Amino acid sequence: MGPAKLRAALVEQVALSGLDACGVAQVEALPRDQAAFDFWLARGYHRSMAYMEKYRDARADPDRLLPGCRSVVMVVLNYGPGTDGAAPQAPGGKVARYARGRDYHKVLGKKLKRIAAWLQEAGGLPARSFVDTGPVLERAWAERAGLGWIGKNANLIRRDLGSWFLLGEILSVAEIEPDPAPHEDFCGSCSACIADCPTGAIVAPGVVDSGLCIAYWNIEHRGSIPAPMREAMGDRIFGCDDCQTVCPWTRKFGTVPPSDPLSARRDLAALNPMEILAMDREKFLARFAGTPVMRARLDGMRRNACIVLGNSGNPEAIPALTLACSDPDPMIRDHAAWALARLQT
Ligand code: B12
């Protein structure tokens, strides 16, 4: 199959899989993005995410992941709120929107594996898929593939979906007709995300210092959370969506229902922090197995629950926090004591 035919057939496969969009980038050097990535690492903006230091040259050079790679197929999985977007948020610990459904690594990973197998067959050349965890600069490749632009909040933004979508990719040795040019930037003079980030984490347009980003602390970080971040976390128990919810594109267009059942499970929008604090491993697995919340682990979620309770102003949390002050885990004891002190002053 020639590059144009392969592209047409691929677009069809992607649509059949319930994915929302796809674009193709021809493999080429990405000097702006490689430099941005090196700068980000050099400044230590990855904080304790040591895995970001691995395979640093591969992120903008897919040939290191798939020798002979000629095409990067980027796909979009919408997790927009659909029709329940206007529903008021139940009180409790707020969960980032992407994490309220089934784990996208699994949902998207499965679809991409299937499409990659099809592509390998149709193109007669090797193909390999990744979602999130591969050493691939996903936003940079997606912008190059015409799927949207990297906004000032560093997220890839689309004019039809805002930024409520996830990315995944297939690397292919086959030549697939690419999208003609990187997507144009439509942030214009707006910098609402920079101004409204509660912790000033967007230190320059498109540049996030993870050490100031709530999503880093309450998802990725293992161990104690610094006191100023605890206060700033407010009621966010997992992740943070503030830089997306203030974006005019996301506000306006982020209500398109997803094509996929990823968002079918909606019971994770708000979690009861007292219930989380009281959880053991068995209850944690029963509630969160197969969801992105697993990433924070049980101890991380119990730590986050203490913080949310400390910020809640709710005196009903005092008995649970008092009990947690004698928890076997010193990290939980420390966060519970902080929360108690905050509630009692
Ligand atoms: C590490 C990581 C994080 C870290 C660090 C975030 C960061 N901005 O780097 C933490 C834990 C904080 C995080 C948080 C979130 N993440 Co995250 N994360 C990643 C991961 C694994 C790597 C990102 C990375 O390489 N960072 C290094 C920096 C240098 O790269 P970058 O952020 O892509 O930045 C590019 C541009 O900003 C550009 N750039 C840099 N400087 C400049 C300057 C100018 C002027 C311009 C134009 C461009 C530019 O160059 C960079 C390289 O291309 C990717 C998956 C992947 N493999 O790419 C997911 C990913 C970026 N995350 C994702 C999501 C959903 C989130 C959250 C929204 C989750 C949440 N709600 O809590 C937040 C959003 C925070 C934010 N505003 O970035 C999605 C984003 C989807 C989208 N539409 O963009 C991704 C792509 C995962 C996926 N497979 O879908 N994340």
Side-chain angles (χ1 to χ4, degrees), residues 239-263:
C240 176
D241 280 333
D242 286 25
C243 64
Q244 302 193 87
T245 46
V246 299
C247 170
W249 289 103
T250 302
R251 291 170 84 97
K252 195 163 176 197
F253 297 108
T255 53
V256 179
S259 327
D260 183 272
L262 172 75
S263 58

Short mmCIF file of all heavy atoms in Angstrom, two decimals, residues 239-263:
data_model
loop_
_atom_site.label_atom_id
_atom_site.label_comp_id
_atom_site.label_asym_id
_atom_site.label_seq_id
_atom_site.Cartn_x
_atom_site.Cartn_y
_atom_site.Cartn_z
N GLY A 239 -4.49 14.77 41.44
CA GLY A 239 -4.34 15.59 40.24
C GLY A 239 -4.90 16.98 40.42
O GLY A 239 -5.36 17.35 41.52
N CYS A 240 -4.84 17.75 39.37
CA CYS A 240 -5.36 19.12 39.40
C CYS A 240 -5.70 19.52 37.97
O CYS A 240 -4.94 19.22 37.05
CB CYS A 240 -4.28 20.07 39.95
SG CYS A 240 -4.78 21.81 39.93
N ASP A 241 -6.84 20.16 37.78
CA ASP A 241 -7.27 20.54 36.44
C ASP A 241 -7.33 22.06 36.25
O ASP A 241 -7.81 22.53 35.22
CB ASP A 241 -8.67 19.97 36.14
CG ASP A 241 -8.62 18.50 35.74
OD1 ASP A 241 -7.58 18.07 35.20
OD2 ASP A 241 -9.61 17.79 35.97
N ASP A 242 -6.84 22.82 37.21
CA ASP A 242 -7.08 24.26 37.16
C ASP A 242 -6.57 24.93 35.87
O ASP A 242 -7.24 25.81 35.33
CB ASP A 242 -6.46 24.96 38.38
CG ASP A 242 -7.29 24.71 39.64
OD1 ASP A 242 -8.00 23.68 39.68
OD2 ASP A 242 -7.23 25.54 40.56
N CYS A 243 -5.38 24.52 35.40
CA CYS A 243 -4.85 25.20 34.21
C CYS A 243 -5.65 24.85 32.96
O CYS A 243 -5.52 25.49 31.92
CB CYS A 243 -3.36 24.92 34.03
SG CYS A 243 -2.96 23.19 33.69
N GLN A 244 -6.48 23.81 33.06
CA GLN A 244 -7.33 23.45 31.92
C GLN A 244 -8.72 24.08 32.07
O GLN A 244 -9.29 24.55 31.09
CB GLN A 244 -7.47 21.93 31.82
CG GLN A 244 -6.14 21.22 31.67
CD GLN A 244 -6.32 19.78 31.26
OE1 GLN A 244 -6.41 19.48 30.08
NE2 GLN A 244 -6.39 18.90 32.22
N THR A 245 -9.25 24.09 33.28
CA THR A 245 -10.61 24.61 33.44
C THR A 245 -10.69 26.11 33.16
O THR A 245 -11.74 26.60 32.78
CB THR A 245 -11.20 24.30 34.84
OG1 THR A 245 -10.22 24.63 35.80
CG2 THR A 245 -11.58 22.86 35.00
N VAL A 246 -9.58 26.82 33.33
CA VAL A 246 -9.63 28.27 33.05
C VAL A 246 -9.37 28.58 31.57
O VAL A 246 -9.55 29.71 31.14
CB VAL A 246 -8.61 29.09 33.89
CG1 VAL A 246 -8.90 28.94 35.37
CG2 VAL A 246 -7.17 28.71 33.57
N CYS A 247 -8.96 27.58 30.81
CA CYS A 247 -8.62 27.82 29.40
C CYS A 247 -9.90 28.06 28.59
O CYS A 247 -10.81 27.22 28.60
CB CYS A 247 -7.86 26.61 28.84
SG CYS A 247 -7.63 26.68 27.05
N PRO A 248 -9.99 29.19 27.89
CA PRO A 248 -11.22 29.47 27.13
C PRO A 248 -11.56 28.40 26.11
O PRO A 248 -12.73 28.09 25.89
CB PRO A 248 -10.91 30.79 26.42
CG PRO A 248 -9.73 31.37 27.12
CD PRO A 248 -8.99 30.27 27.80
N TRP A 249 -10.56 27.78 25.50
CA TRP A 249 -10.84 26.73 24.51
C TRP A 249 -11.47 25.52 25.18
O TRP A 249 -12.41 24.91 24.66
CB TRP A 249 -9.55 26.30 23.79
CG TRP A 249 -9.05 27.36 22.86
CD1 TRP A 249 -8.01 28.21 23.08
CD2 TRP A 249 -9.59 27.70 21.58
NE1 TRP A 249 -7.86 29.05 22.01
CE2 TRP A 249 -8.81 28.76 21.07
CE3 TRP A 249 -10.65 27.21 20.80
CZ2 TRP A 249 -9.05 29.34 19.83
CZ3 TRP A 249 -10.88 27.79 19.57
CH2 TRP A 249 -10.09 28.84 19.09
N THR A 250 -10.94 25.17 26.35
CA THR A 250 -11.45 23.99 27.06
C THR A 250 -12.83 24.28 27.64
O THR A 250 -13.72 23.43 27.62
CB THR A 250 -10.44 23.57 28.15
OG1 THR A 250 -9.19 23.33 27.50
CG2 THR A 250 -10.85 22.32 28.88
N ARG A 251 -13.01 25.51 28.13
CA ARG A 251 -14.34 25.88 28.66
C ARG A 251 -15.40 25.82 27.57
O ARG A 251 -16.50 25.35 27.78
CB ARG A 251 -14.30 27.31 29.19
CG ARG A 251 -13.48 27.47 30.43
CD ARG A 251 -13.31 28.93 30.72
NE ARG A 251 -14.46 29.43 31.46
CZ ARG A 251 -14.46 29.56 32.78
NH1 ARG A 251 -13.39 29.25 33.48
NH2 ARG A 251 -15.52 30.01 33.39
N LYS A 252 -15.00 26.29 26.38
CA LYS A 252 -15.99 26.39 25.31
C LYS A 252 -16.26 25.06 24.62
O LYS A 252 -17.40 24.72 24.33
CB LYS A 252 -15.48 27.41 24.29
CG LYS A 252 -16.52 27.89 23.32
CD LYS A 252 -16.09 29.17 22.63
CE LYS A 252 -17.13 29.56 21.60
NZ LYS A 252 -16.60 30.52 20.65
N PHE A 253 -15.20 24.31 24.37
CA PHE A 253 -15.37 23.11 23.53
C PHE A 253 -15.16 21.80 24.28
O PHE A 253 -15.27 20.73 23.69
CB PHE A 253 -14.42 23.17 22.33
CG PHE A 253 -14.72 24.34 21.45
CD1 PHE A 253 -13.87 25.44 21.41
CD2 PHE A 253 -15.88 24.38 20.70
CE1 PHE A 253 -14.16 26.54 20.61
CE2 PHE A 253 -16.18 25.47 19.90
CZ PHE A 253 -15.32 26.56 19.86
N GLY A 254 -14.87 21.89 25.58
CA GLY A 254 -14.56 20.67 26.31
C GLY A 254 -15.79 19.91 26.79
O GLY A 254 -15.74 19.26 27.82
N THR A 255 -16.87 19.99 26.04
CA THR A 255 -18.08 19.29 26.48
C THR A 255 -18.52 18.22 25.48
O THR A 255 -19.61 17.68 25.57
CB THR A 255 -19.25 20.29 26.66
OG1 THR A 255 -19.35 21.02 25.45
CG2 THR A 255 -19.01 21.22 27.81
N VAL A 256 -17.66 17.95 24.51
CA VAL A 256 -18.00 16.93 23.51
C VAL A 256 -17.95 15.56 24.18
O VAL A 256 -16.93 15.20 24.78
CB VAL A 256 -16.98 16.97 22.33
CG1 VAL A 256 -17.30 15.92 21.30
CG2 VAL A 256 -16.93 18.35 21.72
N PRO A 257 -19.02 14.76 24.09
CA PRO A 257 -18.99 13.45 24.74
C PRO A 257 -17.92 12.56 24.11
O PRO A 257 -17.75 12.57 22.90
CB PRO A 257 -20.38 12.87 24.48
CG PRO A 257 -21.19 13.97 23.92
CD PRO A 257 -20.27 15.02 23.39
N PRO A 258 -17.20 11.79 24.91
CA PRO A 258 -16.19 10.90 24.36
C PRO A 258 -16.82 9.82 23.49
O PRO A 258 -17.94 9.41 23.73
CB PRO A 258 -15.55 10.28 25.60
CG PRO A 258 -16.04 11.05 26.76
CD PRO A 258 -17.31 11.71 26.36
N SER A 259 -16.04 9.35 22.49
CA SER A 259 -16.56 8.28 21.63
C SER A 259 -16.38 6.93 22.30
O SER A 259 -16.84 5.92 21.81
CB SER A 259 -15.80 8.25 20.31
OG SER A 259 -15.39 9.52 19.92
N ASP A 260 -15.66 6.92 23.41
CA ASP A 260 -15.27 5.65 24.02
C ASP A 260 -15.83 5.51 25.43
O ASP A 260 -16.02 6.51 26.11
CB ASP A 260 -13.73 5.63 24.10
CG ASP A 260 -13.23 4.34 24.66
OD1 ASP A 260 -13.11 4.23 25.89
OD2 ASP A 260 -12.98 3.43 23.86
N PRO A 261 -16.07 4.27 25.88
CA PRO A 261 -16.61 4.09 27.22
C PRO A 261 -15.63 4.39 28.36
O PRO A 261 -15.91 4.12 29.52
CB PRO A 261 -17.02 2.63 27.25
CG PRO A 261 -16.23 1.97 26.19
CD PRO A 261 -15.98 3.01 25.14
N LEU A 262 -14.46 4.96 28.02
CA LEU A 262 -13.47 5.29 29.04
C LEU A 262 -14.12 6.03 30.21
O LEU A 262 -13.80 5.81 31.36
CB LEU A 262 -12.38 6.18 28.44
CG LEU A 262 -11.36 6.78 29.40
CD1 LEU A 262 -10.37 5.72 29.86
CD2 LEU A 262 -10.60 7.92 28.77
N SER A 263 -15.04 6.91 29.86
CA SER A 263 -15.62 7.76 30.89
C SER A 263 -16.90 7.17 31.45
O SER A 263 -17.62 7.84 32.19
CB SER A 263 -15.90 9.12 30.31
OG SER A 263 -16.76 8.95 29.21
#
